[in-house]
Amino acid sequence: MANSYSAEQFKEAILAKDIAMLSRAITMIESTRADDKKRASELIDSLLPYVGNSIRIGITGVPGVGKSTFIEAFGMALIAMGKKVAVLAIDPSSSISHGSILGDKTRMEQLSVHPHAFIRPSASSGSLGGITYKTHETILLCEAAGFDVIIVETVGVGQSETEVSQICDFFLLLMLAGAGDELQGIKRGIMELADGVVITKADSGNAEKAKAARNEYARALHFMPPTTSGWIPQVKVCSAYQNEGITEVWEMINQFAQHQSTNGFFYENRQQQNIFAFHRLLQEQLRDTLLRKPGLNEQIKSLEQQITEGNISPYTAVGLILN
Ligand code: GDP
């Protein structure tokens, strides 16, 4: 058991904005123990009347693009406006990115100690679907604890973006200017998910290049299929070092939220987020239930043997396990 508090004790503490208890509750959500899972879902259910009052922002970009520096500047700017900011960092591919999110202790120095900020790395093991499901629940806990801007940060290595975009209201892509072809290194599919693009490090010798890149991306986005909500993704430049262009990003997100609220897409997207979480959880629980089947490993080994010998097809083998 991650701790001995009841769901009711957690609920009261989280609603009273007790950050230590919020942290413990997230640990409980991430736990794979059956009793923790049961208490976690009781807790989430009891908090449902208190969630939803935030803007959920997904932020992605390749390692080195300046995500943590941007989030530090952005988060501090939001706090200065009176907001409370939670940052949930997902690193599903720490072997690929060398743990760039979790490894670097100097990330977000000011934000990480600010009483109006909460920074939490998400579990880096397990299936990505499981992580995003738990991140969805973590978002709900943070909302109940009074955080009104939730940032979900992910390393842009091509795996996690789709899923993260499905648990957020606004999906922001950070990009670098220059480096030859302006559009190199960015997968078209990710670009299509973006509600906004920000060219980072637009300072010193890089400012002109950043503006050129902004025009280039704006043109590229122009040729993308229009979003169903009618929102036209915007491209901004910023320098986190010089604190320039940071509030403009917030203005863009506000415009987006207003646009989506007016035409009903904001609410619709939230419902979609819940449905997505439901499917993720269902998949995870089905897998867990199946993996607890007695003698499963032996059966898998025997079926592998039969497949190798050409006695049965993989399809039939799966059928045998499920039956
Ligand atoms: P992440 O891996 O995407 O989180 O990127 P970081 O925030 O760690 O930044 C990567 C590198 O870019 C670091 O050396 C930063 O100091 C640098 N960097 C970040 N933001 C800026 C900026 O606004 N201007 C400049 N010139 N460098 C920056």
Side-chain angles (χ1 to χ4, degrees), residues 4 8 20 53 59 89-90 103 129 163 198 216 231 241 250 272 308:
S4 55
E8 184 60 28
N53 282 328
I59 297 186
I90 302 185
E163 300 215 351
V198 172
E216 191 85 15
W231 168 255
Y241 273 12
W250 178 240
Q272 292 276 337
T308 318

Side-chain angles (χ1 to χ4, degrees), residues 161-163 165 170-172 188-196:
E161 290 78 7
T162 313
E163 300 215 351
S165 73
F170 187 94
F171 192 60
L172 182 68
R188 197 183 153 81
I190 297 176
M191 192 91 161
E192 279 174 13
L193 295 175
D195 298 302

Side-chain angles (χ1 to χ4, degrees), residues 42-239:
E42 263 175 53
L43 173 62
I44 296 288
D45 280 347
S46 72
L47 287 176
L48 285 181
Y50 309 95
V51 306
N53 282 328
S54 82
I55 176 104
R56 305 168 182 172
I57 305 170
I59 297 186
T60 195
V62 292
V65 70
K67 289 182 296 299
S68 55
T69 318
F70 172 79
I71 293 171
E72 165 100 337
F74 185 61
M76 291 307 291
L78 294 175
I79 287 173
M81 295 174 203
K83 307 273 176 207
K84 290 185 74 184
V85 181
V87 181
L88 312 175
I90 302 185
D91 193 352
S93 51
S94 40
S95 58
I96 300 173
S97 60
H98 304 293
S100 58
I101 279 191
L102 309 180
D104 183 355
K105 291 206 174 60
T106 61
R107 302 176 90 249
M108 306 175 206
E109 262 172 359
Q110 294 180 59
L111 205 56
S112 59
V113 295
H114 201 287
H116 290 171
F118 176 72
I119 301 183
R120 170 89 184 198
S122 262
S124 59
S125 61
S127 73
L128 184 55
I131 294 170
T132 46
Y133 169 67
K134 284 165 188 162
T135 308
H136 173 80
E137 290 203 325
T138 304
I139 289 173
L140 301 181
L141 291 188
C142 290
E143 287 175 346
F147 289 93
D148 40 24
V149 181
I150 319 272
I151 294 173
V152 181
E153 176 191 6
T154 171
V155 176
V157 288
Q159 285 181 309
S160 46
E161 290 78 7
T162 313
E163 300 215 351
V164 170
S165 73
Q166 284 165 319
I167 56 171
C168 290
D169 306 316
F170 187 94
F171 192 60
L172 182 68
L173 176 64
L174 300 191
M175 298 286 302
L176 289 166
D181 178 359
E182 299 292 327
L183 292 180
Q184 224 169 34
I186 175 69
K187 295 185 185 63
R188 197 183 153 81
I190 297 176
M191 192 91 161
E192 279 174 13
L193 295 175
D195 298 302
V197 176
V198 172
I199 316 290
T200 54
K201 309 188 194 183
D203 46 53
S204 41
N206 207 27
E208 286 309 309
K209 261 201 300 196
K211 280 183 198 148
R214 177 187 56 199
N215 296 340
E216 191 85 15
Y217 285 118
R219 211 168 314 139
L221 283 170
H222 185 74
F223 288 111
M224 302 260 170
T227 58
T228 37
S229 73
W231 168 255
I232 299 167
Q234 298 178 10
V235 189
K236 304 278 181 198
V237 295
C238 88
S239 164

Side-chain angles (χ1 to χ4, degrees), residues 275-305:
I275 297 295
F276 175 74
F278 163 65
H279 281 282
R280 281 288 157 210
L281 181 62
L282 182 62
Q283 276 175 26
E284 197 185 70
Q285 303 261 314
L286 285 175
R287 200 198 52 207
D288 283 359
T289 308
L290 181 63
L291 291 180
R292 277 200 297 271
K293 184 180 169 184
L296 180 70
N297 283 343
E298 295 73 26
Q299 193 186 9
I300 287 178
K301 284 216 173 63
S302 145
L303 290 170
E304 279 177 357
Q305 181 72 23

